[in-house]
Amino acid sequence: MKKKIFAVAAAGAMTAATAVPALALENEFHGMFRVFGTISNYGSTNASGSTIAGVLTPDLSSDAPTRGYMEQRARLMYIAKANDDLKLVTHFEIDSRWGDNAYNSNNTTRNNGGAIGADQTNLETKNVYLDFNIPSTPLNFKVGIQPWVDSYGGILVNADMAGALATAKYAGFTNSLGWFRFNEDAGSLPGKATRDFMILDTKYNLSKDIRIGGSYYLLTDDRAASDNTYTHMIGVNADMKFDPVTVGAFGMYQFGDTPSTVNSDLSAFLVGTTAKAKVGIGTVKLAALYVSGEQNANTDSSAFQPINSESSFYAADMQIMLRNKWNVNNDRSLVQNISNFYGAFVATTPTSPTSSLPT
């Protein structure tokens, strides 16, 4: 009797399985591999004495040591696409410097594995998120660990982060509403002591050559060392094309509480512009940036506050002064975070053949 019951149950399961339509996935694979070498005697260590990433401390002595090294980076992306309205995006990265470490010998897994023997646990997860549209609406959602960059060239934040982002495109508008969780206190209850980031972005195409935008960002921090701070940010931006020149302009004002600081008021700003033009077979670029800084030692602050270690101004295309987007592990520069000083950056890139520009 028991065998008959099992047989009936198995037949029922098979019938139910055949009744469920098969989900056909379209599999996409993308990738990148970069390897390059550096020979330099400009900076021996950074401010903490490390020879890897961080703030570059120049060595200007006549007998500054020369060093040469090779770095490589591989990125692997797999996208599982159910249909035009639903896909899962995953993105992974493997970095190393030739000769650095092997067999997890330095007890550090990421950004290693270039020494003899290799065998390093060094696969990094950059992104895992669901990307889906709401049918018959202009709404798109991205939910999970995803890349996001602000509307100001990444000067505030340019990073991979966990959160949810909703975007709607209609009638010339592109509106975005998002929430991201940056981090939380170690050892605290999940969701109890956190640093969160909320965004509201809008852009409008005045014409095919002119786009204007505005944004409101809110950074909240109720971790133990921050005493529940609220930092507000409002900004405007524009992109204009006057063939053959493309111009961008932007500005942002920060107010409220100084991030991660108890009993400190913030009033800071930035303004900047970028331009590029096709000249013959080459491209000429210009970028300028001014940020407010703190000149007085007091409780309040007037220094612009980026998200430390996760901001950039790659539009400047600098190699030493600011972070270079082509760097891998040895991502070092004189200014790692555009904060706590006053002055202006102006960078120009001379004309060069467009065929030699990286894509």
Side-chain angles (χ1 to χ4, degrees):
M1 182 65 178
K2 197 175 289 186
K3 291 182 178 179
K4 291 183 179 179
I5 293 175
F6 287 158
V8 172
M14 291 179 63
T15 302
T18 56
V20 177
L23 180 62
L25 291 177
E26 180 180 333
N27 301 302
E28 294 184 17
F29 294 90
H30 306 268
M32 177 273 293
F33 179 72
R34 181 186 306 142
V35 59
F36 65 91
T38 299
I39 299 177
S40 172
N41 69 345
Y42 184 69
S44 57
T45 62
N46 63 21
S48 63
S50 169
T51 57
I52 308 299
V55 178
L56 183 66
T57 300
D59 186 347
L60 302 180
S61 62
S62 59
D63 59 346
T66 299
R67 68 190 190 283
Y69 55 89
M70 300 289 294
E71 292 185 298
Q72 68 178 56
R73 164 172 288 171
R75 284 182 175 170
L76 309 171
M77 176 180 282
Y78 167 66
I79 301 175
K81 185 177 180 181
N83 53 52
D84 290 338
D85 293 320
L86 176 62
K87 59 185 176 182
L88 175 69
V89 180
T90 63
H91 199 182
F92 308 96
E93 182 175 282
I94 304 172
D95 298 332
S96 61
R97 188 180 73 253
W98 292 6
D100 53 12
N101 285 281
Y103 306 118
N104 290 345
S105 59
N106 64 344
N107 296 318
T108 300
T109 54
R110 67 185 300 267
N111 299 338
N112 281 273
I116 185 170
D119 290 353
Q120 188 87 5
T121 307
N122 59 359
L123 181 65
E124 304 172 29
T125 300
K126 285 184 62 63
N127 307 134
V128 179
Y129 64 93
L130 200 62
D131 185 340
F132 61 95
N133 302 317
I134 303 299
S136 303
T137 74
L139 288 172
N140 170 265
F141 288 86
K142 293 181 176 63
V143 180
I145 305 172
Q146 58 190 279
W148 190 83
V149 57
D150 63 54
S151 296
Y152 306 89
I155 299 171
L156 176 68
V157 59
N158 181 357
D160 299 310
M161 43 198 183
L165 179 67
T167 303
K169 296 182 178 181
Y170 57 92
F173 285 95
T174 300
N175 296 329
S176 298
L177 177 65
W179 164 71
F180 296 94
R181 173 144 294 170
F182 284 171
N183 40 36
E184 58 185 32
D185 271 344
S188 66
L189 292 174
K192 177 64 177 177
T194 64
R195 184 170 62 142
D196 294 338
F197 186 61
M198 277 69 75
I199 71 162
L200 177 60
D201 259 319
T202 184
K203 294 184 183 296
Y204 179 68
N205 294 323
L206 290 174
S207 68
K208 66 181 182 67
D209 294 324
I210 300 177
R211 182 176 66 179
I212 59 175
S215 61
Y216 168 72
Y217 303 149
L218 173 63
L219 177 66
T220 67
D221 194 343
D222 62 356
R223 295 174 298 171
S226 300
D227 194 30
N228 205 20
T229 59
Y230 290 80
T231 307
H232 307 270
M233 291 157 263
I234 55 175
V236 292
N237 54 83
D239 293 294
M240 298 157 283
K241 185 175 182 180
F242 308 101
D243 212 14
V245 180
T246 301
V247 179
F250 51 87
M252 178 185 287
Y253 176 63
Q254 296 180 320
F255 61 100
D257 301 317
T258 305
S260 306
T261 305
V262 178
N263 297 325
S264 175
D265 294 330
L266 175 66
S267 179
F269 70 92
L270 72 83
V271 290
T273 185
T274 60
K276 64 179 180 180
K278 295 289 292 294
V279 180
I281 63 171
T283 300
V284 173
K285 296 181 180 180
L286 169 71
L289 175 67
Y290 184 98
V291 297
S292 62
E294 181 56 57
Q295 303 182 48
N296 303 309
N298 54 43
T299 303
D300 299 332
S301 177
S302 59
F304 182 78
Q305 304 289 318
I307 306 302
N308 282 341
S309 302
E310 300 294 350
S311 62
S312 61
F313 186 44
Y314 290 143
D317 275 339
M318 287 188 170
Q319 302 292 317
I320 296 175
M321 177 69 77
L322 301 177
R323 296 177 63 189
N324 171 19
K325 63 184 176 182
W326 303 116
N327 285 345
V328 183
N329 297 336
N330 287 277
D331 183 9
R332 300 191 297 155
S333 61
L334 293 176
V335 179
Q336 279 279 303
N337 296 296
I338 301 173
S339 175
N340 203 33
F341 61 90
Y342 52 97
F345 286 121
V346 179
T348 60
T349 301
T351 303
S352 58
T354 55
S355 59
S356 68
L357 296 176
T359 58

